[in-house]
Amino acid sequence: MHNRTVITFGTFDVFHVGHLRVIERAAHLGTRLIVGVSADALNMRKKNRAPVFSQAERLAIVGSLKQVDEVFLEESLELKRHYILSYGADVLVMGDDWEGRFDEFRDICEVVYLPRTPAISTTALIEKIAGSGLIGMPGAEPALSA
Ligand code: C2G
């Protein structure tokens, strides 16, 4: 395969198998995978809550995956064009919850939306943990701070 740089973006909070699948499939589309991890401040603006794991922790987790060649902090959604160009990305990959939202970048790279892994999300995990009865038990860790 010719050298082909793939770029993808995400918060990757409370890293789960849905995140892993999208990263694995993105890596298969090229020879080098770059991941933009959304900054804590960007999440506060976008979702009105802080991620469970800090940006430093999320960068460390995603950056440690064998499929990932490089991670960087995504400071703003408006900088996508800049990030794509500065990393020389040939392909932008996003989950299909973003379908159509990044078509404007087709002038500088290929844009691919991959189907989300069903039935798993950070929000569902937080709710499952919160409802598990573990939180608040004597001797249990303090509740998630988010
Ligand atoms: N994902 C998936 N299947 C799931 C959950 C997530 O394929 N069950 C994918 C999403 O589609 C996305 C990636 O995993 O491509 C990261 O998901 P999030 O952390 O939820 O990313 P998000 O907060 O949507 O941030 O600039 C874009 C944003 O940074 C995207």
Side-chain angles (χ1 to χ4, degrees):
M1 197 194 315
H2 290 298
N3 286 346
R4 223 158 96 99
T5 298
V6 181
I7 195 166
T8 192
F9 296 87
T11 309
F12 302 105
D13 190 25
V14 189
F15 195 90
H16 58 64
V17 76
H19 296 143
L20 181 60
R21 295 287 175 253
V22 80
I23 284 173
E24 285 174 339
R25 286 176 293 161
H28 271 116
L29 296 176
T31 48
R32 177 169 170 254
L33 178 61
I34 314 286
V35 183
V37 174
S38 302
D40 290 340
L42 172 56
N43 265 268
M44 288 301 295
R45 294 202 298 276
K46 212 168 57 170
K47 299 182 183 168
N48 249 322
R49 68 168 179 84
V52 175
F53 292 145
S54 72
Q55 62 191 36
E57 292 167 327
R58 293 180 290 107
L59 279 166
I61 291 166
V62 176
S64 74
L65 298 169
K66 66 169 186 273
Q67 294 86 357
V68 176
D69 295 288
E70 203 176 326
V71 283
F72 69 93
L73 201 60
E74 180 193 25
E75 306 266 11
S76 158
L77 296 178
E78 282 71 52
L79 287 172
K80 271 213 177 54
R81 181 171 292 273
H82 162 78
Y83 294 134
I84 293 167
L85 291 172
S86 60
Y87 285 97
D90 303 292
V91 191
L92 167 64
V93 173
M94 292 301 298
D96 63 4
D97 43 329
W98 292 90
E99 183 81 54
R101 302 270 295 276
F102 298 116
D103 289 357
E104 65 187 284
F105 304 122
R106 292 198 194 273
D107 58 337
I108 50 169
C109 65
E110 193 181 321
V111 180
V112 176
Y113 302 99
L114 295 174
R116 275 171 71 91
T117 301
I120 186 158
S121 71
T122 298
T123 307
L125 283 171
I126 293 172
E127 282 165 9
K128 190 169 171 181
I129 294 165
S132 68
L134 284 170
I135 291 169
M137 273 172 57
E141 292 297 311
L144 297 169
S145 56

